[in-house]
Amino acid sequence: MKKLSRFFLVCFIVILTTVGFSKATEITFWTLFSGGEGHIITGLVNQFNKEQNEIFVNQQPLDWGEYYNKLLASMVGGNPPDLAIMHRSSLVDYVERGALLPIDKYVSNSLKVDYFDNILQAATFNSQLYALPLDAHPLVLYYNKSVLREAGLVDSNGQILLPKTFEEFYNFCKQIKQKTGKYGVAIEDLNGLGERLWLTLYRNFGGKLEDENGNFMIDKNIAEKTYAEILKFYKEDLTTYVDYETARALFITGQAGFTFDGVWAMAAFEDMGVLEEIGVMPVPPFSFTDTPYVWGDSHTLIIPKAPKINEEKVKAAVTFAEWLVNRSYEWAKAGHLPVVKSVAESTEFLSLPLRENFIVSSERAFVPEVRGWKEIQDKLLELCQGVVLGALTPEKAADDLVNTVKQVAK
């Protein structure tokens, strides 16, 4: 009897020890967020870690400027993170390199049917799902209410007038300059100028990104018109050549009437306590634009392919990724637009300030999908800077861009 009691006691201790001291599955999660976005994602990771004890997410924030170089280096070195953020515009390159793990079999059907169809399709290649989209973050147009009032851009009831077309937006900028001496619009000198604004205007001019065979292309004539359209704002002193932080400072201090920025700027404006003085609207198309477009990328959650697949970690990473997507209302507070119906159509989300003023932008959003996009993207920034600084003519820039696209996307 004593022996039997000892046996059960040993078994009980073994079970207790196993249950009580079993380690949580730890996954590394690389992110590229800072500021308001960084605070929100860290808060969500902490919440997940507190709510359960089976998975521990070790978030590792990296500097945005070095993020993709380090991510690629980790993959080449055979030591990638278990889960990482990746822009949708980068997916094509990484999928074609075989650097991402297909995750279709790990993702629940309930989440798949909750996604908007176009969003899920954008993360699907050769019928395989390679990423869980977390948001959509299109370019939008912010306006400073005080500057517009000062420039007389109000109706007979004192309500602020907003441009319905890009031509009208140009005229508003001229009126701001003439009436106040301030800049019509503040534009940052890198991605905001050469990629986001340039691509938005190019598409609204009627520019295509694919030929009849589905190959990536840039129309030279429309590219030249796009460079010329942007250049006139600089030539007429309606804007000035400044970096991102300076462009934002010019705008919020009332030295410019408008600024182009991503929806993510909403969180920064809220943190600065200036949201009351700011309005937001979709980037207006030209009066002749058939279908309005706006540049709009998306943050997705991907699993880099490791030399040896650890099923336990993959399942843990997908479990956390699904949890994050299902809580994208919290993430939407940073200004991002949700990509699952249960959040995007919720009263909770629609009640967030200013959201109804730009939500249509997500329907107009696009990003180029082409292998070698990073090289083309770098060229876009370089050429647009060259044009506005007077080092290149619009014609020469368009020539160079078309040649680059032919070399990279052949």
Side-chain angles (χ1 to χ4, degrees):
M1 187 66 184
K2 282 184 179 179
K3 286 184 180 179
L4 193 59
S5 297
R6 282 197 201 100
F7 172 75
F8 282 120
L9 180 61
V10 169
C11 289
F12 177 73
I13 291 172
V14 169
I15 292 169
L16 190 65
T17 302
T18 303
V19 171
F21 295 96
S22 61
K23 293 180 68 175
T25 302
E26 179 171 337
I27 58 168
T28 51
F29 175 36
W30 282 19
T31 62
L32 42 63
F33 306 117
S34 60
E37 291 179 311
H39 297 317
I40 291 174
I41 202 73
T42 299
L44 285 166
V45 169
N46 291 341
Q47 182 184 341
F48 178 80
N49 285 337
K50 284 180 184 174
E51 283 184 2
Q52 48 76 53
N53 56 13
E54 295 179 352
I55 301 168
F56 179 78
V57 179
N58 178 6
Q59 186 201 1
Q60 298 177 5
L62 276 74
D63 181 76
W64 153 241
E66 301 176 355
Y67 183 78
Y68 282 104
N69 287 339
K70 289 190 174 179
L71 184 59
L72 184 58
S74 74
M75 293 173 175
V76 173
N79 189 29
D82 301 308
L83 182 70
I85 295 290
M86 178 169 284
H87 288 92
R88 197 183 93 193
S89 54
S90 296
L91 282 178
V92 175
D93 262 348
Y94 283 81
V95 168
E96 292 200 1
R97 288 175 180 174
L100 305 186
L101 188 71
I103 55 174
D104 212 39
K105 68 177 182 180
Y106 302 102
V107 179
S108 69
N109 285 329
S110 59
L111 180 60
K112 289 177 187 173
V113 299
D114 198 18
Y115 271 116
F116 291 108
D117 288 343
N118 62 325
I119 296 294
L120 199 63
Q121 285 306 311
T124 303
F125 301 84
N126 298 323
S127 303
Q128 287 282 343
L129 183 63
Y130 280 88
L132 288 184
L134 181 60
D135 63 40
H137 50 261
L139 185 73
V140 290
L141 181 61
Y142 294 95
Y143 54 92
N144 186 309
K145 296 175 185 174
S146 296
V147 177
L148 267 59
R149 287 194 195 97
E150 188 182 345
L153 291 167
V154 293
D155 64 17
S156 56
N157 297 318
Q159 296 298 308
I160 288 172
L161 296 171
L162 297 177
K164 297 180 183 64
T165 64
F166 201 81
E167 295 95 321
E168 203 170 43
F169 165 71
Y170 167 68
N171 289 329
F172 277 26
C173 288
K174 286 174 65 174
Q175 185 166 329
I176 290 168
K177 191 68 182 179
Q178 290 162 1
K179 299 277 186 180
T180 70
K182 298 175 178 177
Y183 293 116
V185 57
I187 309 172
E188 64 105 345
D189 59 349
L190 289 173
N191 298 72
L193 171 67
E195 180 190 6
R196 298 163 193 156
L197 179 60
W198 193 91
L199 283 168
T200 298
L201 297 185
Y202 172 80
R203 295 298 316 267
N204 285 322
F205 265 127
K208 295 179 180 177
L209 294 176
E210 284 188 354
D211 64 17
E212 59 276 12
N213 297 316
N215 299 314
F216 188 78
M217 63 161 284
I218 292 289
D219 183 301
K220 179 181 173 299
N221 291 332
I222 296 179
E224 185 177 339
K225 284 171 66 175
T226 306
Y227 284 119
E229 181 69 25
I230 291 174
L231 180 59
K232 73 183 185 185
F233 283 82
Y234 289 84
K235 276 189 167 178
E236 297 175 28
D237 203 26
L238 304 181
T239 190
T240 185
Y241 187 77
V242 290
D243 64 19
Y244 189 82
E245 296 305 323
T246 307
R248 185 174 283 183
L250 286 173
F251 175 67
I252 62 173
T253 58
Q255 298 176 68
F258 295 95
T259 192
F260 296 104
D261 207 332
V263 292
W264 57 84
M266 202 83 64
F269 292 149
E270 193 161 12
D271 284 349
M272 294 174 193
V274 297
L275 210 52
E276 287 290 317
E277 268 307 298
I278 286 172
V280 60
M281 60 176 288
V283 177
F286 295 104
S287 58
F288 50 82
T289 300
D290 287 334
T291 303
Y293 286 102
V294 67
W295 173 94
D297 213 333
S298 170
H299 293 118
T300 73
L301 296 145
I302 55 99
I303 297 182
K305 193 180 282 181
K308 186 177 179 182
I309 296 173
N310 183 323
E311 283 284 328
E312 184 181 356
K313 281 182 178 281
V314 171
K315 288 176 182 174
V318 172
T319 297
F320 169 65
E322 285 205 25
W323 182 93
L324 203 55
V325 174
N326 285 324
R327 279 151 188 83
S328 50
Y329 164 73
E330 292 298 326
W331 183 236
K333 290 178 181 176
H336 300 298
L337 295 173
V339 287
V340 288
K341 288 169 267 189
S342 59
V343 179
E345 295 169 358
S346 68
T347 304
E348 194 178 29
F349 167 71
L350 295 173
S351 299
L352 287 171
L354 304 176
R355 295 318 190 267
E356 62 181 359
N357 296 337
F358 66 87
I359 196 168
V360 70
S361 297
S362 65
E363 299 171 13
R364 303 176 178 180
F366 75 96
V367 286
E369 295 182 10
V370 57
R371 185 172 186 176
W373 171 241
K374 183 67 173 66
E375 195 173 338
I376 297 171
Q377 181 188 47
D378 289 345
K379 197 66 177 177
L380 278 169
L381 307 193
E382 175 193 324
L383 292 174
C384 210
Q385 287 176 333
V387 169
V388 302
L389 291 174
L392 290 172
T393 64
E395 182 181 11
K396 179 70 169 69
D399 267 338
D400 285 0
L401 180 58
V402 169
N403 288 334
T404 298
V405 167
K406 284 179 179 174
Q407 291 170 11
V408 174
K410 61 184 177 183

